[in-house]
Amino acid sequence: MPQTLAQMRFNCAKARQRMATARAQHWAFGAFNLDDEPTLLAVAAAAKKMNAPVLVEVSHGEVSDIGLDNIRDLVDNTKQAYGVEMYINLDHSPSVEAAKDGIEAGFEFIHIDVSQADHNASDETIIEATKEVVAYARLTGALVESEPHYFGGSSDLFKDKIDYELIRQTFSTPEGAKAFVEATGIDTFAAAIGNLHGKYPVPKILDLKLLEQIRNALDCNISLHGGSGTPGHYFKDAVKIGVSKININSDMRFAYRTELDKILKENPEEISVAKLVTKYVIPVVSKVVESKLKDFNSAGKAII
Ligand SMILES: [Zn+2]
C-alpha cells in the first residue's frame, strides 16, 4: 500500500535525525544495493542478526526493473516482517524528474547525479539540478545527496589495476566540497577520496588525510560510494573521522554470482533456481553484509 504523506514525513524526519546520530556517535549506515528480493532478504537478515540500522538502495536499472512503488512496498513489508530499522536510498538518480519520483514514492534518501547520465555536464547544470531536487525534497523531508562532478567506475568486476594518478585528479577537495554544499544546500556530500565504483584485482586505498580535511570543511553528512573491495580498516577509520553512509554493491553481487555458479554446478537436477538461492545464496550474501556492518560500527545501533 502506498505511504501517506504523513508517513513519508515521519520516516524522513527519523532518517534525518538518525544520520545526525550516526555522525555524532561515529558509525555509518551501510547502504546496500537491492538487486532483487533475495538481496533484500540477505540485508534484512544481517540487519536483524547484528541489530544494525541499514539502508537499501536502488539505482536507475533496478527502478526500471522493479518499479518505485513495488520497491517501497517490498522494503516496508520486509522491514516489518524482520523488525529492522531500514530506509531506502534512490542511488544515482540520473535526472531531476527521476529524483522527484523517488521523493514522491517516499524514499528517505535521494542521490541526484546528473553527471552519471552526462559525464560532461557543466558545473552550473549540476548545481541547478541539485538545487531543484533539494527544494522539491522539502515535500517529504528526504535527505539529498550529491557531488560536484562525475564519480568514476561502475558496479562491475574490473580486470585492470587502479591507476591512482588518474583517479587522484577526480578526488574531492575541501574547498570544492564546501563551495558545492553551500551552493546547493545538500544534506550529504558524496566524497571521492580513492573510493571507486566496482571491484578490482587490487584493494582500494582511501586518502584518510583528505577525508579529514573535507570533514573539517563541511557541516553536512559525508558518504562514500564504491565501497566494495576496500580493506575494512579504511572503513573503521573513515567512520571515526565522520563518514555516515557507505555504499556497497559489487561485493554482494560477486558473492551472489560466485555462490550461485557453484551451487548450480552441484545441483544439476534442481530446476528451481529460487530454492537454491534461498537456501545457499542468501546466507552467503548476508555474511558479506554482516562483515560490512561490523566495519561500519553500526552493529547494535538500531532503533525500531
Ligand atoms: Zn555510487
Side-chain angles (χ1 to χ4, degrees):
M1 219 166 50
Q3 291 184 342
T4 62
L5 186 57
Q7 283 171 321
M8 292 179 194
R9 287 180 173 160
F10 177 84
N11 289 339
C12 290
K14 185 177 174 193
R16 186 171 289 277
Q17 182 249 314
R18 296 289 285 145
M19 277 291 273
T21 302
R23 193 176 148 194
Q25 295 181 347
H26 296 279
W27 53 270
F29 277 93
F32 301 100
N33 202 74
L34 189 167
D35 270 0
D36 54 10
E37 196 188 6
T39 52
L40 173 62
L41 298 182
V43 176
K48 177 83 185 166
K49 187 175 168 193
M50 310 294 286
N51 192 27
V54 290
L55 266 64
V56 285
E57 61 188 15
V58 284
S59 48
H60 206 54
E62 289 95 31
V63 170
S64 307
D65 287 348
I66 311 173
L68 283 171
D69 290 337
N70 286 339
I71 293 163
R72 183 72 260 180
D73 282 350
L74 256 178
V75 171
D76 284 345
N77 294 338
T78 306
K79 190 167 83 171
Q80 202 172 18
Y82 281 73
V84 290
E85 184 182 356
M86 186 181 270
Y87 307 92
I88 312 181
N89 177 40
L90 182 63
D91 199 26
H92 295 282
S93 59
S95 65
V96 172
E97 288 66 35
K100 285 182 176 177
D101 289 344
I103 292 165
E104 288 172 6
F107 285 21
E108 294 88 354
F109 294 80
I110 302 288
H111 174 222
I112 172 72
D113 181 12
V114 289
S115 63
Q116 182 84 5
D118 174 10
H119 295 188
N120 299 314
S122 70
D123 292 357
E124 259 167 52
T125 305
I126 294 171
I127 288 172
E128 284 314 308
T130 306
K131 273 167 74 175
E132 203 179 330
V133 174
V134 168
Y136 197 75
R138 294 203 185 100
L139 176 70
T140 60
L143 289 99
V144 179
E145 173 183 353
S146 191
E147 64 276 304
H149 54 72
Y150 176 63
F151 182 75
S154 65
S155 298
D156 295 313
L157 199 58
F158 292 90
K159 293 202 172 68
D160 298 335
K161 285 189 178 166
I162 302 170
D163 183 348
Y164 273 102
E165 281 320 300
L166 201 67
I167 289 165
R168 194 163 278 281
Q169 295 167 18
T170 66
F171 277 14
S172 309
T173 62
E175 306 76 33
K178 191 173 189 294
F180 185 71
V181 172
E182 283 175 0
T184 57
I186 52 169
D187 302 287
T188 307
F189 179 79
I193 55 160
N195 44 321
L196 197 64
H197 289 131
K199 204 168 164 64
Y200 295 79
V202 291
K204 292 173 191 167
I205 300 167
L206 301 187
D207 187 339
L208 295 170
K209 261 211 158 66
L210 176 61
L211 177 62
E212 223 163 335
Q213 291 166 355
I214 296 168
R215 178 66 284 168
N216 291 335
L218 298 183
D219 196 24
C220 69
N221 305 308
I222 296 178
S223 69
L224 291 179
H225 283 237
S228 291
T230 310
H233 66 90
Y234 281 118
F235 290 138
K236 287 179 184 157
D237 287 340
V239 297
K240 274 185 205 149
I241 292 168
V243 163
S244 322
K245 170 177 170 284
I246 302 174
N247 295 15
I248 299 290
N249 185 357
S250 305
D251 279 348
M252 295 164 72
R253 285 182 173 171
F254 184 77
Y256 193 130
R257 173 67 197 249
T258 309
E259 184 63 21
L260 185 59
D261 280 350
K262 176 172 156 262
I263 225 67
L264 287 175
K265 243 182 233 153
E266 288 172 7
N267 295 272
E269 306 296 322
E270 177 59 75
I271 59 165
S272 170
V273 177
K275 267 189 198 165
L276 296 173
V277 167
T278 300
K279 191 169 176 190
Y280 299 102
V281 176
I282 290 179
V284 169
V285 177
S286 204
K287 280 268 170 265
V288 174
V289 176
E290 279 177 34
S291 77
K292 305 293 179 190
L293 295 174
K294 279 185 206 155
D295 289 341
F296 302 166
N297 192 28
S298 60
K301 306 290 197 304
I303 293 179
I304 312 300

